[in-house]
Amino acid sequence: MDKKVLKVLKELEKTRQEFWNISKETGVFLNTLIRISNIKKILEIGTSNGVSAIYMAEALKSKGTPLTHQIYTIESNYKLRFPLAKANFAKTSLTPYITQILGHAPEVIPKTPKFFDLFFLDATKYEHANYLKAIIPRMKKSSMIITDNAISHKEALKPYFRELKKYKNLQNQLIKLGSGLLMTVRDPTA
């Protein structure tokens, strides 16, 4: 990873509790997953102060240009989190790879690109079922959804888990990393 990015991430580790940031191991997992796969377009719901977007954008930068590799990240907190993430992105060389969207998901999910390769869900847990309904039409074959806090917030995510079961073409795998990641992959044959 770029030294400037590592410095910013190390600085942001101090804010993990305050901003509910992903763990370092989760960030490294996301970064590695993006590097080894054909992920080009990412939609993140729940930017917070930008930690997860930085990990993912750094991997995108290693693979291509901002024209072909982009993360779209949605945050509804306009007073603190949105501007803080913008400032944190500016401290890295990753801003061209990050499109910040201010607003409430799923209403502000961009129309372009039509499909995403990866969706990262780390926002208000009781709304995840609504996020899922909005992103399902935006999945292509082999698209994946990674849901954070699948273990730590499993009670709050029960409606989301029930909604997932309705889609027979989705395969789910729980990964015991950080606060728990649920990896959901669209079956490429379905």
Side-chain angles (χ1 to χ4, degrees), residues 1 25-37 55 59:
M1 268 198 215
E25 65 216 18
T26 298
V28 170
F29 172 80
L30 290 170
N31 184 281
T32 303
L33 175 70
I34 294 162
R35 284 175 180 268
I36 65 170
S37 62
Y55 273 107

Side-chain angles (χ1 to χ4, degrees), residues 159-176:
Y160 172 68
F161 297 148
R162 279 194 300 272
E163 189 66 27
L164 272 173
K165 288 180 182 177
K166 293 179 183 178
Y167 298 93
K168 301 302 178 202
N169 64 339
L170 298 180
Q171 300 170 352
N172 300 295
Q173 180 65 47
L174 182 63
I175 301 169
K176 294 180 180 180

Side-chain angles (χ1 to χ4, degrees), residues 94-109:
L94 302 172
T95 302
Y97 292 85
I98 302 168
T99 299
Q100 275 189 277
I101 302 166
L102 177 62
H104 182 259
E107 292 88 12
V108 296
I109 294 173

Side-chain angles (χ1 to χ4, degrees), residues 14 21 57 70-72 76 88 95 114 118 168 174 188 190:
K14 299 171 194 163
N21 294 331
Q70 191 72 206
I71 179 170
Y72 299 80
S76 62
N88 289 330
T95 302
K114 185 173 181 179
L118 173 65
K168 301 302 178 202
L174 182 63

Side-chain angles (χ1 to χ4, degrees), residues 3-19 21 24 49-51 54-55 84-85 87-92:
K3 287 181 183 179
K4 190 189 292 187
V5 172
L6 285 171
K7 183 180 177 190
V8 171
L9 287 171
K10 187 165 181 68
E11 186 181 302
L12 291 174
E13 281 180 34
K14 299 171 194 163
T15 69
R16 182 159 185 244
Q17 297 302 318
E18 181 182 357
F19 290 98
N21 294 331
K24 182 178 179 180
N49 64 345
V51 171
I54 290 171
Y55 273 107
L84 194 53
N88 289 330
F89 298 152
K91 293 176 188 176
T92 71

